[in-house]
């Protein structure tokens, strides 16, 4: 029997749902019911391979996986063990490039406190005697990695939840979700209705279908994932084997009693139940089932597996497992509250949900009970996907490409090809004609540089290593033109959010730490904070009219910031309209010491300092084009952002371009902007500032108006932080060797102790230096000597005063 009401309804009885219920109960929330359409573990959980690797490129996911290991150790010692085997884990490098990646990952691990270390091929053979070392150039080993039985884990978590009062109803299918005035009110099963305040969609490969019942889009695709279980061929006296991954050969291994589990990520993935025209459509009776064996598609994995472990050629296969797993377009989880109040999602685990299950349950429970998780999971926020992912074909293409490249080396300049080009600036054709090298972000085609500008800096300094892989002397030329003359940039991809209505001023004042409800035409740089004082977004806000404000935020964070603002409006019952106007308005930036010389003859207003001061906006015309000018800069030079409706935008670009030629105007791309902003110390949200950093730590205390009438979200937490005093501060660091350019996440050492990690960095062409930013102890003031781990080598560096 299901209850007539519960505070929280969790849909899905796999490892995700069980973990969420378990952690809710641990936090004292026991008015919870779990609904499972069939039996516990009958979705993707029962056929998971069960590997638990901890280190990821992302610090939050690494912490989530590390927490999972701690939980699994604890459960293994309890009444309901999970089959946890802390076997250790080896990752092989079968190419020199992979060894570089491993050494970079060892640096990450140091920053995260994980004892990952490099081992020789000979040491690999000692730990995994079955291996053939042909082509192996190195490896790393983490002794706390391991594997477990996914079904036992699910049952153990469910038992722990039940023990604290959580109710679990199996063979109970959800057929509807009641949403009233944008808020969840109940869940309908085939036999009953449960009134509730919160619904958590932990439906695995069914999660998108469940979300559609609430009018929510969750972009995930079930993809067939195969692995083989060999016959027994090892003696019980043989020492246990660690898990083994060889990403260059696309394969992984773990011990299974006296045999092996062998799987991988093939280059020809098989999406299941979704195509270019229809959403996922998992059969209603697909419970506890597997897909037919697909040996032709597994052939590549089998061949590579035998190459690395030759005995497999002589060992029979006891069973082939072919089961669908839910993958997302960017290989990140989908977590958090959606645009429907009270409707949460924890899905899209991308075949590493067993490793992350403990951490997933923890952050979701905190989100529901405390309103915010203790770790920054913004890159996993279900709201990060924009409207492009409403398309079945685009979602499918991006997800399949993601699976196909799962084991590729994640170079920082790696660009994806699927679904491109989709979102294009009105000046896109001009960019193509002038040799633009494009990158992509949030489905936007963005100019990285113009190859024709390479001739302007033929002897430009090229960084060594990965930083110099996808590089052009054009970046240096565009950088220098901005500092010395003037450059034109297309920033149309920057997300633009319009907030209007009777309560618009009150809402923006509450959500921003700065005073943003100032005079019409004022532009304010500000942060949006959570209740803990962490930075949820970093943007500029312009007051266009008395009750109309425009926020400009990052390309990649636009969809999430839009959802965040709408959620704040809902919580405050604000009478506002919040709209994404990104595509309606183009934005071009004209920056450099000669920007005024170029723009003044084109406009009928005075651009002088007194008439048009910094951080103000004016409606005017540029040539024949109606436009709004905003005197702001992300490169630290004189200049304006020029906004125009998209039907005028191509003409605006052409007008400014023609007018700038006598002044030596150059068109520039985002790589130059990155280099320029590093020299000026401008922060980037998602790396330099996050939901776990406060404005005081980030050096943005000047934005905090602590005495603002009415206060603001997070003000109490900031007041406490100010009273206690910061223990760390974002600092600029210059490496002694300018050719050693950081990429992010590298550990920073001071007096032999790791004290922080790099948030962002790059090469500054004006200062001729390799620049890094890192949160360091407050005592690490300018002049302090530190070291940065760059691909396994400690490079001396100095903390410097900002801006460079």
């Amino acid at each position: 029997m299901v209850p007539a009401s519960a505070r929280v309804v969790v849909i899905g009885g796999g490892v995700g749902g069980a973990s969420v219920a378990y952690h809710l109960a641990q936090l004292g929330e026991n008015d919870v019911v779990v609904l499972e359409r069939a039996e516990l573990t009958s979705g993707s959980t029962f056929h998971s391979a069960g590997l638990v690797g901890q280190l990821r490129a992302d610090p939050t996911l690494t912490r989530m996986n590390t927490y999972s290991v701690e939980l699994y150790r604890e459960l293994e010692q309890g009444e309901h063990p999970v089959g946890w085997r802390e076997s250790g884990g080896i990752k092989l490098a079968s190419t020199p490039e992979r060894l570089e990646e491993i050494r970079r990952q060892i640096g990450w691990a140091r920053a995260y406190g994980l004892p990952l270390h490099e081992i020789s091929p000979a040491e690999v053979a000692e730990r995994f005697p079955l291996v053939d070392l042909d082509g192996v150039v190195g490896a790393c080993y983490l002794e706390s990695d391991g594997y477990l039985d996914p079904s036992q884990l699910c049952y153990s978590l469910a038992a722990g939840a039940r023990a604290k009062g959580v109710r679990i109803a199996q063979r109970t299918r959800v057929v509807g979700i009641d949403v009233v005035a944008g808020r969840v009110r109940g869940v309908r099963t085939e036999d009953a209705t449960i009134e509730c305040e919160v619904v958590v969609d932990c439906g695995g490969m069914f999660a998108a279908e469940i979300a559609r019942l609430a009018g929510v889009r969750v972009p995930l695709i079930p993809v067939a994932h195969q692995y083989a279980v060999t016959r027994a061929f090892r003696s019980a006296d043989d020492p246990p084997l660690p898990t083994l991954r060889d990403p260059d050969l696309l394969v992984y291994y773990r011990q299974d009693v006296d045999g092996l589990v062998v799987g991988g990520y093939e280059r020809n993935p098989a999406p299941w139940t979704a195509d270019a025209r229809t959403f996922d459509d998992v059969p209603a009776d697909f419970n506890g089932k597997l897909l037919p064996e697909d040996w032709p598609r597994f052939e590549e994995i089998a061949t590579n597996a035998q190459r690395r472990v030759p005995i497999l050629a002589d060992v029979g296969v006891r069973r082939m497992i072919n089961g669908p797993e839910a993958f997302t377009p960017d290989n990140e989880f989908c977590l958090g509250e959606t645009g429907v109040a009270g409707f949460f999602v924890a899905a899209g685990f991308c075949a590493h949900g067993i490793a992350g299950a403990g951490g997933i349950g923890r952050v979701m429970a905190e989100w529901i009970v405390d309103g915010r998780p203790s770790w920054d999971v913004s890159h996993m926020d279900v709201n990060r996907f924009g409207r492009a992912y409403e398309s079945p074909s685009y979602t499918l293409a991006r997800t399949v490409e993601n699976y196909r490249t799962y084991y590729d080396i994640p170079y920082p300049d790696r660009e994806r090809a699927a679904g491109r080009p989709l979102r294009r600036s009105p000046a896109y054709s001009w960019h193509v004609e002038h040799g633009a090298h494009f990158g992509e972000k949030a489905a936007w085609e963005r100019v990285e540089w113009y190859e024709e500008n390479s001739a302007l800096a033929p002897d430009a300094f090229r960084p060594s290593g990965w930083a110099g892989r996808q590089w052009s002397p054009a970046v240096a030329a565009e950088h220098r033109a901005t500092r010395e003359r003037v450059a034109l940039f297309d920033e149309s991809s920057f997300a633009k959010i319009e907030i209007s209505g009777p309560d618009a001023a009150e809402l923006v004042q509450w959500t921003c730490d700065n005073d943003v409800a100032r005079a019409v035409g004022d532009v304010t740089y500000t942060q949006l904070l959570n209740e803990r004082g962490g930075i949820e977004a970093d943007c500029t806000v312009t007051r266009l009219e008395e009750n109309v404000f425009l926020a400009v935020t990052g390309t990649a964070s636009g969809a999430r910031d839009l959802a965040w603002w709408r959620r704040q409006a809902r919580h405050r019952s604000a009478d506002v309209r919040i709209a994404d106007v990104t595509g309606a308005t183009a934005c071009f930036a004209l920056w450099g010491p000669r920007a005024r010389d170029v723009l003044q003859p084109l406009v009928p207003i005075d651009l002088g300092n007194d008439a048009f001061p910094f951080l103000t906006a004016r409606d005017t015309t540029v040539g024949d084009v109606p436009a709004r000018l905003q005197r702001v800069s992300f490169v630290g030079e004189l200049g304006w952002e020029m906004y125009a409706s998209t039907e005028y935008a191509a003409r605006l670009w052409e007008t400014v371009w023609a007018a700038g030629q006598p002044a030596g105007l150059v068109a520039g791309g985002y790589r130059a902007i990155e280099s320029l902003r590093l020299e000026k110390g401008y922060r980037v949200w998602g790396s330099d500032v996050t939901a776990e950093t406060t404005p005081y730590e980030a050096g943005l205390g000047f934005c905090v108006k602590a005495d603002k009438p009415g206060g603001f979200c997070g003000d109490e937490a900031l007041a406490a932080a100010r009273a206690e005093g910061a223990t760390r501060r974002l600092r600029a660091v210059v490496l002694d060797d300018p050719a050693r350019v950081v990429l992010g996440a590298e550990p920073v050492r001071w007096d032999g102790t790791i004290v922080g990690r790099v948030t962002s960095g790059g090469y500054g062409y004006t200062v001729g230096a390799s620049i890094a930013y890192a949160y360091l102890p407050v005592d690490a003031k300018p002049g302090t000597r530190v070291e940065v781990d760059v691909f396994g080598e400690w490079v001396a560096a100095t903390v410097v005063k900002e801006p460079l």
Side-chain angles (χ1 to χ4, degrees):
M1 287 286 293
V2 297
S5 66
R7 190 175 112 73
V8 182
V9 174
V10 177
I11 304 175
V15 72
S19 185
V20 170
Y22 174 89
H23 285 88
L24 282 169
Q26 292 294 111
L27 293 180
E29 182 60 73
N30 55 16
D31 188 11
V32 179
V33 60
V34 178
L35 305 180
E36 165 53 43
R37 61 192 290 132
E39 308 287 337
L40 294 181
T41 82
S42 63
S44 298
T45 298
F46 85 94
H47 60 69
S48 296
L51 278 75
V52 179
Q54 296 164 83
L55 183 66
R56 295 293 189 271
D58 161 61
T60 297
L61 187 53
T62 298
R63 283 186 289 183
M64 290 169 68
N65 291 359
T66 301
Y67 168 77
S68 293
V69 167
E70 295 169 357
L71 175 64
Y72 302 161
R73 288 174 184 152
E74 179 183 336
L75 294 175
E76 183 64 20
Q77 301 305 313
E79 185 179 352
H80 303 280
V82 297
W84 172 243
R85 299 293 180 267
E86 200 156 317
S87 61
I90 296 173
K91 180 177 180 179
L92 300 178
S94 297
T95 62
E97 293 80 10
R98 186 70 66 178
L99 186 57
E100 286 184 317
E101 182 203 22
I102 281 177
R103 288 172 175 164
R104 177 164 158 73
Q105 289 178 326
I106 289 172
W108 296 340
R110 287 174 177 154
Y112 306 154
L114 281 175
L116 182 73
H117 60 278
E118 186 173 343
I119 60 175
S120 67
E123 290 174 293
V124 171
E126 289 176 8
R127 289 181 166 87
F128 203 103
L130 305 175
V131 70
D132 185 326
L133 295 173
D134 181 40
V136 174
V137 296
C140 61
Y141 178 69
L142 184 57
E143 62 185 5
S144 54
D145 278 354
Y147 57 92
L148 48 63
D149 184 312
S151 293
Q152 285 183 232
L153 172 62
C154 184
Y155 291 133
S156 179
L157 291 167
R162 278 196 186 101
K164 288 185 175 290
V166 171
R167 290 160 289 185
I168 298 177
Q170 302 182 80
R171 296 173 295 283
T172 305
R173 189 181 299 270
V174 172
V175 297
I177 297 174
D178 295 330
V179 177
V180 179
R183 176 174 293 278
V184 162
R185 295 299 184 189
V187 172
R188 283 176 282 123
T189 72
E190 293 175 317
D191 303 313
T193 297
I194 308 171
E195 294 183 0
C196 61
E197 300 174 28
V198 174
V199 172
V200 191
D201 178 1
C202 298
M205 59 185 164
F206 295 97
E209 176 185 341
I210 293 167
R212 288 196 291 274
L213 297 176
V216 171
R217 169 69 171 146
V218 178
L220 55 81
I221 300 290
V223 179
H225 185 72
Q226 295 189 106
Y227 62 86
V229 183
T230 73
R231 297 187 185 281
F233 67 93
R234 303 185 72 240
S235 166
D237 297 329
D238 290 336
L241 296 173
T243 62
L244 179 71
R245 292 177 175 85
D246 188 340
D248 293 306
L249 291 181
L250 311 176
V251 294
Y252 61 77
Y253 312 79
R254 76 160 172 86
Q255 187 170 330
D256 181 72
V257 193
D258 296 328
L260 288 178
V261 165
V262 182
Y265 291 84
E266 65 279 359
R267 297 292 189 186
N268 58 333
W272 184 61
T273 75
D275 59 33
R277 294 175 302 282
T278 59
F279 294 120
D280 50 281
D281 186 20
V282 181
D285 63 349
F286 196 84
N287 306 307
K289 295 181 179 180
L290 294 171
L291 301 175
E293 298 175 355
D294 190 348
W295 282 101
R297 192 166 57 83
F298 195 70
E299 183 178 359
E300 180 183 22
I301 300 302
T303 300
N304 289 351
Q306 291 172 20
R307 173 182 164 188
R308 187 57 65 216
V309 180
I311 196 173
L312 293 177
D314 302 318
V315 174
V317 171
R318 179 167 60 86
R319 192 180 184 197
M320 168 69 85
I321 305 296
N322 186 12
E325 298 267 5
F327 280 79
T328 63
D330 60 2
N331 201 42
E332 296 281 5
F333 302 153
C334 286
L335 306 179
E337 188 177 17
T338 68
V340 173
F343 186 76
F344 289 77
V345 173
F349 297 161
C350 305
H352 54 276
I354 301 303
I360 290 166
R362 171 176 166 169
V363 300
M364 290 299 298
E366 291 173 342
W367 217 325
I368 294 163
V369 174
D370 301 330
R372 203 63 234 154
S374 55
W375 295 328
D376 174 28
V377 293
S378 55
H379 53 294
M380 306 177 198
D381 193 322
V382 67
N383 299 296
R384 69 188 181 273
F385 296 104
R387 291 193 62 198
Y389 291 95
E390 294 175 8
S391 161
S393 58
Y394 188 74
T395 302
L396 178 67
R398 302 291 279 191
T399 305
V400 168
E401 181 187 42
N402 175 68
Y403 187 102
R404 182 182 295 123
T405 58
Y406 190 92
Y407 270 150
D408 284 5
I409 296 173
Y411 293 114
D413 48 32
R414 181 174 63 171
E415 289 288 347
R416 302 179 64 186
R420 296 178 60 183
L422 184 60
R423 303 175 80 181
R424 309 178 217 185
S425 160
Y428 177 78
S429 296
W430 190 98
H431 301 327
V432 172
E433 292 168 4
H434 288 77
H437 177 91
F438 289 98
E440 177 269 333
K441 183 173 286 189
W444 277 98
E445 294 297 314
R446 308 191 337 154
V447 178
E448 297 287 276
W449 66 78
Y450 297 88
E451 195 55 47
E452 64 181 23
N453 289 332
S454 295
L456 302 178
D459 300 322
F461 175 81
R462 184 187 192 114
S464 63
W466 283 17
R469 281 177 49 82
Q470 284 285 342
W471 176 89
S472 168
V475 177
E478 293 161 14
H479 174 117
R480 290 170 183 163
T482 310
R483 287 272 184 258
E484 298 166 6
R485 302 186 306 280
V486 61
L488 182 62
F489 298 89
D490 188 342
E491 292 188 313
S492 297
S493 70
F494 276 23
K496 308 166 196 76
I497 300 170
E498 186 177 271
I499 303 172
S500 60
D503 296 335
E506 187 276 334
L507 179 65
V508 296
Q509 281 289 78
W510 170 254
T511 52
C512 297
D513 60 355
N514 210 334
D515 183 10
V516 294
R518 299 186 293 138
V520 171
D522 280 351
V523 181
T524 306
Y525 172 54
T526 186
Q527 292 75 48
L528 314 182
L529 307 182
N530 56 41
E531 292 80 0
R532 297 189 178 115
I535 301 172
E536 290 288 337
D538 185 68
C539 60
T540 59
V541 176
T542 303
R543 192 169 200 170
L544 301 179
E545 300 174 22
E546 189 67 21
N547 290 322
V548 181
F549 295 81
L550 180 74
V552 179
T553 186
T555 303
S557 59
R560 180 181 176 274
D561 292 351
L562 178 71
W564 188 88
W565 238 314
R566 285 175 171 167
R567 188 160 55 245
Q568 292 294 318
R570 188 171 63 232
H571 289 167
R572 297 184 67 79
S573 300
D575 184 3
V576 294
R577 177 180 181 270
I578 303 175
D580 180 359
V581 296
T582 304
T585 309
C587 175
F588 305 137
L590 184 71
W591 291 323
R594 300 202 63 184
R596 186 179 283 114
D597 299 339
V598 173
L599 194 56
Q600 183 65 82
L602 299 174
V603 301
I605 62 174
D606 185 356
L607 298 182
N609 282 325
D610 293 336
F612 203 143
F614 185 56
L615 291 178
T616 57
R618 301 284 187 273
D619 287 325
T620 184
T621 56
V622 179
D624 298 332
V625 176
R628 183 179 69 256
L629 304 183
Q630 296 194 172
R631 192 172 161 196
V632 296
S633 171
F634 197 50
V635 300
E637 299 294 339
L638 172 70
W640 287 263
E641 290 179 344
M642 303 172 288
Y643 293 83
S645 182
T646 51
E647 74 268 27
Y648 292 105
R651 179 69 172 271
L652 175 61
W653 181 276
E654 294 161 359
T655 298
V656 176
W657 175 253
Q661 294 312 296
L665 177 67
V666 167
Y670 279 89
R671 292 289 184 89
I673 291 176
E674 175 67 6
S675 175
L676 290 156
R677 75 93 188 166
L678 284 167
E679 292 185 334
K680 298 300 289 191
Y682 295 149
R683 280 47 170 153
V684 168
W685 186 86
S687 56
D688 301 320
V689 294
T690 72
E692 293 186 41
T693 58
T694 70
Y696 297 128
E697 295 171 322
L700 299 173
F702 64 91
C703 292
V704 178
K705 297 299 182 281
D707 57 351
K708 186 166 59 171
F712 56 89
C713 182
D715 56 358
E716 293 182 3
L718 276 194
R722 187 169 60 251
E724 294 174 4
T727 59
R728 61 175 185 165
R729 180 74 181 265
L730 187 64
R731 299 290 192 188
V733 175
V734 170
L735 281 68
D736 286 5
D737 183 352
R740 307 303 298 275
V741 176
V742 300
L743 303 170
E746 294 88 348
V748 181
R749 189 168 70 180
W750 182 23
D751 287 341
T753 301
I754 293 173
V755 292
R757 64 178 184 84
V758 171
T759 58
S760 67
Y763 187 78
Y765 290 94
T766 299
V767 299
S770 173
I771 306 166
Y773 283 84
Y775 283 92
L776 302 177
V778 291
D779 293 338
K781 296 178 180 178
T784 302
R785 295 287 287 169
V786 296
E787 297 171 286
V788 182
D789 182 342
V790 183
F791 288 93
E793 179 182 343
W794 289 103
V795 179
T798 304
V799 178
V800 298
K801 183 179 179 181
E802 295 183 69
L804 277 75

